[in-house]
Amino acid sequence: MTSKAASMKTSFVLSAIAAFGVLAAPVFAQEQQMQNDGTARSKVKPARLIEFTGDREFLKESSRLRVWRGEVGYTLEVDAAGTPVDCELAEKFRMNYVNDKLCEVLMKHHSFEPAQDSSGAPVEGSYEGRLNFMDIRAKG
């Protein structure tokens, strides 16, 4: 590669990096502002897991559905009474049936203290978790 070609390549790479920085800066600034905006959302105490009692059921359902992952990440939406009302897997399976069945087990076997607003009143919230199959098997 000639020095002129190398110089052009370096110039192109530096221009691309600079352009990315210019484009990413407003997004980063907006995220920072949203986190520190003083709104009620930033003052909510999140839902706290009391217990998950579905280790055996989750393993059984995963085996039945032929789930071959090392772990499953998920987010549960929790109502103001502390009851899970919705579930989403972090990495969805191709078949919605598998996603739905695993979420049924997750929602049935989690119990929470509800999220609280700044005055301590219960509000809707969410909980993010991960289940590792090796850890679950080791417990059983």
Side-chain angles (χ1 to χ4, degrees):
M1 181 181 293
T2 67
S3 64
K4 185 175 180 179
S7 175
M8 288 177 61
K9 184 177 180 182
T10 302
S11 176
F12 176 76
V13 169
L14 291 175
S15 296
I17 291 171
F20 176 75
V22 168
L23 293 173
V27 172
F28 179 73
Q30 183 180 10
E31 286 178 8
Q32 285 279 6
Q33 185 179 12
M34 285 174 57
Q35 290 175 359
N36 301 318
D37 63 359
T39 61
R41 182 176 12 164
S42 63
K43 296 179 182 178
V44 169
K45 180 179 172 187
R48 190 177 76 77
L49 178 66
I50 295 172
E51 114 182 285
F52 173 65
T53 59
D55 286 343
R56 178 178 235 168
E57 290 81 3
F58 193 78
L59 280 176
K60 192 165 93 174
E61 191 68 20
S62 297
S63 177
R64 189 180 73 74
L65 296 168
R66 298 189 172 150
V67 171
W68 305 114
R69 290 190 183 163
E71 64 181 23
V72 173
Y74 58 94
T75 301
L76 296 176
E77 297 301 320
V78 181
D79 68 12
T83 304
V85 293
D86 194 23
C87 170
E88 186 170 332
L89 300 181
E91 294 178 34
K92 292 185 169 62
F93 293 89
R94 281 184 279 160
M95 296 180 64
N96 286 333
Y97 177 78
V98 173
N99 300 320
D100 294 344
K101 287 297 183 184
L102 292 178
C103 275
E104 281 179 24
V105 174
L106 292 170
M107 289 176 45
K108 181 178 179 183
H109 293 281
H110 275 86
S111 56
F112 296 95
E113 286 182 6
Q116 298 176 354
D117 65 12
S118 59
S119 68
V123 295
E124 296 176 347
S126 64
Y127 173 82
E128 291 183 20
R130 298 192 82 67
L131 291 177
N132 181 294
F133 289 98
M134 295 300 283
D135 293 344
I136 295 172
R137 285 186 186 105
K139 288 182 198 175

